[in-house]
Amino acid sequence: MSTTPAVPGSTALDPAVAARLKRTADGLLPAIAQQYDTGEVLMLGWMDDEALHRTLTTGRCTYWSRSRSEYWVKGDTSGHVQRVVAVALDCDGDTLLVKVDQTGAACHTGDRTCFDADVLPVAR
């Protein structure tokens, strides 16, 4: 696997799409995974051009792991697959919304979402 994210424009990602992306200094975009039919927010991952290209062309979510410095396809080791239903770029071009059909847990802890375990109190 690669040890650094792909350089913008160095993948087969459609150049018209790549030109619209506003990446972080390390070439990444946040990608929010959302259950397509319920609207449930499942997780946040990171994609570079290559991960986005793989996601769009395979129908499976591919992310860049910042902790492992490699690409990973959600579900390849856990079986908790994210089948891609739709991908949208936000109005600023700096965040992706990936609507998925999630099988099993989305969070590496085994929770359905990464946002189940630590709900913070809000003053009313």
Side-chain angles (χ1 to χ4, degrees):
M1 290 284 172
S2 178
T3 58
T4 58
V7 175
S10 69
T11 71
L13 182 64
D14 180 335
V17 173
R20 296 172 55 201
L21 304 179
K22 294 180 185 163
R23 303 160 193 84
T24 63
D26 52 1
L28 300 172
L29 287 107
I32 301 163
Q34 179 184 42
Q35 178 64 33
Y36 82 99
D37 54 354
T38 65
E40 178 181 33
V41 177
L42 300 170
M43 60 172 279
L44 172 80
W46 294 91
M47 292 186 184
D48 64 358
D49 289 74
E50 178 62 21
L52 178 56
H53 169 71
R54 293 179 190 186
T55 297
L56 293 170
T57 58
T58 66
R60 297 268 313 277
C61 283
T62 300
Y63 298 101
W64 175 258
S65 171
R66 296 180 304 162
S67 61
R68 295 188 310 256
S69 295
E70 65 183 17
Y71 294 103
W72 58 280
V73 178
K74 183 70 174 166
D76 269 2
T77 57
S78 67
H80 300 168
V81 175
Q82 291 178 342
R83 282 190 316 98
V84 177
V85 174
V87 179
L89 185 59
D90 79 337
C91 59
D92 295 324
D94 62 3
T95 304
L96 297 163
L97 177 63
V98 186
K99 293 188 178 190
V100 302
D101 189 10
Q102 177 72 46
T103 299
C107 187
H108 71 280
T109 64
D111 285 338
R112 170 72 181 163
T113 85
C114 293
F115 303 101
D116 285 345
D118 199 9
V119 177
L120 302 176
V122 177
R124 302 266 182 226

